[in-house]
Each structure stands twice: as structure tokens, then as C-alpha cells.
Amino acid sequence: MLLPTKGVSSERALMTIGSEILEDLRDPMSVSALWERYNTRQNLANRPRRITFDWFSLALAALYAMKVVDVSADGYIRTAHVY
């Protein structure tokens, strides 16, 4: 699920989706705004919508568990500072 397997293609692996989320997360934003930006970029690249919001939230949760993103005091998702 995190990495591609026989049952999960490389385009749907959570690590792949997570890396695409990080590309869209330039500024702190809400989850819904991040989801909209992700979908807009996928549509502009002429890629059909390949994941659901559930799968998107799983990738976001994986990024949070790995401490790559965190939540600011105002509730926005942002990239974590690496020390």
C-alpha cells in the first residue's frame, strides 16, 4: 500500500501520491484546498482522476506519520521543518 506491489500500481502507491501532495504544498493550506489543488494539477496534466479522497487522506496521514507534514496552530497543513 505504501509502496507499489502486485495489487497496487506505482501510480496509486501512497508514497507516489504523497510526493505529489508535497509538490502542491508550497504554502500552508487546508486539506480541502490541498485536495482541490491536487485534482486541478492532475486534470491539467490530462491524467484522469486516479484516486479518491479516501486514498488522498491516507497518503496525507502517511506523510504526517513520517513527520514530513504537520498541522499549524490555525489548522492548516504545512511541510514540517527538518532539524
mmCIF file of all heavy atoms in Angstrom, residues 65-82:
data_model
loop_
_atom_site.group_PDB
_atom_site.id
_atom_site.type_symbol
_atom_site.label_atom_id
_atom_site.label_comp_id
_atom_site.label_asym_id
_atom_site.label_seq_id
_atom_site.Cartn_x
_atom_site.Cartn_y
_atom_site.Cartn_z
ATOM 1 N N ALA A 65 2.474 10.752 9.642
ATOM 2 C CA ALA A 65 3.101 9.723 10.485
ATOM 3 C C ALA A 65 4.617 9.716 10.314
ATOM 4 O O ALA A 65 5.346 9.431 11.273
ATOM 5 C CB ALA A 65 2.525 8.348 10.159
ATOM 6 N N MET A 66 5.089 10.051 9.126
ATOM 7 C CA MET A 66 6.520 10.113 8.872
ATOM 8 C C MET A 66 7.110 11.463 9.256
ATOM 9 O O MET A 66 8.295 11.705 9.043
ATOM 10 C CB MET A 66 6.806 9.818 7.395
ATOM 11 C CG MET A 66 6.503 8.399 7.008
ATOM 12 S SD MET A 66 6.938 8.028 5.298
ATOM 13 C CE MET A 66 5.657 8.875 4.406
ATOM 14 N N LYS A 67 6.263 12.353 9.772
ATOM 15 C CA LYS A 67 6.657 13.695 10.218
ATOM 16 C C LYS A 67 7.211 14.547 9.082
ATOM 17 O O LYS A 67 8.117 15.357 9.272
ATOM 18 C CB LYS A 67 7.632 13.623 11.383
ATOM 19 C CG LYS A 67 7.025 12.935 12.579
ATOM 20 C CD LYS A 67 7.928 12.944 13.760
ATOM 21 C CE LYS A 67 7.198 12.224 14.898
ATOM 22 N NZ LYS A 67 7.940 12.235 16.118
ATOM 23 N N VAL A 68 6.639 14.359 7.898
ATOM 24 C CA VAL A 68 7.007 15.167 6.745
ATOM 25 C C VAL A 68 6.123 16.411 6.684
ATOM 26 O O VAL A 68 6.561 17.466 6.249
ATOM 27 C CB VAL A 68 6.898 14.353 5.438
ATOM 28 C CG1 VAL A 68 7.200 15.189 4.219
ATOM 29 C CG2 VAL A 68 7.811 13.141 5.497
ATOM 30 N N VAL A 69 4.881 16.274 7.141
ATOM 31 C CA VAL A 69 3.968 17.412 7.245
ATOM 32 C C VAL A 69 3.481 17.498 8.684
ATOM 33 O O VAL A 69 3.526 16.513 9.433
ATOM 34 C CB VAL A 69 2.758 17.295 6.285
ATOM 35 C CG1 VAL A 69 3.200 17.277 4.844
ATOM 36 C CG2 VAL A 69 1.906 16.104 6.606
ATOM 37 N N ASP A 70 3.022 18.686 9.055
ATOM 38 C CA ASP A 70 2.392 18.847 10.359
ATOM 39 C C ASP A 70 1.248 19.839 10.229
ATOM 40 O O ASP A 70 0.972 20.352 9.145
ATOM 41 C CB ASP A 70 3.399 19.266 11.440
ATOM 42 C CG ASP A 70 4.084 20.586 11.174
ATOM 43 O OD1 ASP A 70 3.716 21.278 10.206
ATOM 44 O OD2 ASP A 70 4.987 20.941 11.941
ATOM 45 N N VAL A 71 0.574 20.072 11.348
ATOM 46 C CA VAL A 71 -0.578 20.958 11.358
ATOM 47 C C VAL A 71 -0.211 22.212 12.134
ATOM 48 O O VAL A 71 0.299 22.128 13.258
ATOM 49 C CB VAL A 71 -1.796 20.259 12.003
ATOM 50 C CG1 VAL A 71 -3.005 21.174 11.997
ATOM 51 C CG2 VAL A 71 -2.106 18.954 11.288
ATOM 52 N N SER A 72 -0.449 23.363 11.533
ATOM 53 C CA SER A 72 -0.145 24.629 12.206
ATOM 54 C C SER A 72 -1.222 24.933 13.242
ATOM 55 O O SER A 72 -2.254 24.263 13.313
ATOM 56 C CB SER A 72 -0.043 25.756 11.177
ATOM 57 O OG SER A 72 -1.287 25.961 10.550
ATOM 58 N N ALA A 73 -0.983 25.966 14.026
ATOM 59 C CA ALA A 73 -1.920 26.349 15.084
ATOM 60 C C ALA A 73 -3.285 26.734 14.528
ATOM 61 O O ALA A 73 -4.302 26.539 15.197
ATOM 62 C CB ALA A 73 -1.340 27.495 15.899
ATOM 63 N N ASP A 74 -3.324 27.253 13.304
ATOM 64 C CA ASP A 74 -4.600 27.644 12.705
ATOM 65 C C ASP A 74 -5.277 26.498 11.952
ATOM 66 O O ASP A 74 -6.292 26.696 11.293
ATOM 67 C CB ASP A 74 -4.428 28.859 11.803
ATOM 68 C CG ASP A 74 -3.368 28.674 10.740
ATOM 69 O OD1 ASP A 74 -2.764 27.599 10.663
ATOM 70 O OD2 ASP A 74 -3.134 29.627 9.974
ATOM 71 N N GLY A 75 -4.710 25.285 12.027
ATOM 72 C CA GLY A 75 -5.332 24.106 11.438
ATOM 73 C C GLY A 75 -4.947 23.814 10.004
ATOM 74 O O GLY A 75 -5.507 22.916 9.383
ATOM 75 N N TYR A 76 -3.973 24.531 9.462
ATOM 76 C CA TYR A 76 -3.538 24.288 8.090
ATOM 77 C C TYR A 76 -2.425 23.251 8.052
ATOM 78 O O TYR A 76 -1.613 23.155 8.961
ATOM 79 C CB TYR A 76 -3.037 25.580 7.446
ATOM 80 C CG TYR A 76 -4.120 26.576 7.119
ATOM 81 C CD1 TYR A 76 -3.833 27.921 7.013
ATOM 82 C CD2 TYR A 76 -5.429 26.178 6.907
ATOM 83 C CE1 TYR A 76 -4.817 28.842 6.711
ATOM 84 C CE2 TYR A 76 -6.418 27.087 6.605
ATOM 85 C CZ TYR A 76 -6.112 28.416 6.504
ATOM 86 O OH TYR A 76 -7.086 29.315 6.203
ATOM 87 N N ILE A 77 -2.398 22.505 6.962
ATOM 88 C CA ILE A 77 -1.339 21.524 6.724
ATOM 89 C C ILE A 77 -0.139 22.273 6.152
ATOM 90 O O ILE A 77 -0.282 23.123 5.278
ATOM 91 C CB ILE A 77 -1.800 20.442 5.719
ATOM 92 C CG1 ILE A 77 -3.076 19.765 6.195
ATOM 93 C CG2 ILE A 77 -0.701 19.427 5.451
ATOM 94 C CD1 ILE A 77 -2.935 18.974 7.461
ATOM 95 N N ARG A 78 1.053 21.941 6.631
ATOM 96 C CA ARG A 78 2.277 22.570 6.122
ATOM 97 C C ARG A 78 3.394 21.540 6.142
ATOM 98 O O ARG A 78 3.305 20.529 6.838
ATOM 99 C CB ARG A 78 2.646 23.783 6.940
ATOM 100 C CG ARG A 78 2.982 23.418 8.380
ATOM 101 C CD ARG A 78 3.329 24.617 9.196
ATOM 102 N NE ARG A 78 3.619 24.168 10.566
ATOM 103 C CZ ARG A 78 3.774 24.975 11.574
ATOM 104 N NH1 ARG A 78 3.687 26.278 11.406
ATOM 105 N NH2 ARG A 78 4.035 24.495 12.765
ATOM 106 N N THR A 79 4.429 21.803 5.381
ATOM 107 C CA THR A 79 5.583 20.914 5.425
ATOM 108 C C THR A 79 6.285 21.103 6.772
ATOM 109 O O THR A 79 6.341 22.206 7.303
ATOM 110 C CB THR A 79 6.563 21.205 4.282
ATOM 111 O OG1 THR A 79 6.939 22.569 4.315
ATOM 112 C CG2 THR A 79 5.939 20.861 2.928
ATOM 113 N N ALA A 80 6.793 20.012 7.312
ATOM 114 C CA ALA A 80 7.466 20.060 8.613
ATOM 115 C C ALA A 80 8.881 20.578 8.446
ATOM 116 O O ALA A 80 9.510 20.394 7.409
ATOM 117 C CB ALA A 80 7.479 18.683 9.253
ATOM 118 N N HIS A 81 9.371 21.217 9.481
ATOM 119 C CA HIS A 81 10.752 21.674 9.485
ATOM 120 C C HIS A 81 11.644 20.509 9.900
ATOM 121 O O HIS A 81 11.373 19.841 10.881
ATOM 122 C CB HIS A 81 10.938 22.827 10.467
ATOM 123 C CG HIS A 81 10.167 24.038 10.089
ATOM 124 N ND1 HIS A 81 10.537 24.859 9.043
ATOM 125 C CD2 HIS A 81 9.026 24.571 10.596
ATOM 126 C CE1 HIS A 81 9.667 25.849 8.921
ATOM 127 N NE2 HIS A 81 8.740 25.699 9.854
ATOM 128 N N VAL A 82 12.653 20.275 9.138
ATOM 129 C CA VAL A 82 13.594 19.211 9.444
ATOM 130 C C VAL A 82 14.771 19.820 10.177
ATOM 131 O O VAL A 82 15.389 20.772 9.716
ATOM 132 C CB VAL A 82 14.077 18.499 8.149
ATOM 133 C CG1 VAL A 82 15.082 17.433 8.475
ATOM 134 C CG2 VAL A 82 12.887 17.956 7.383
#
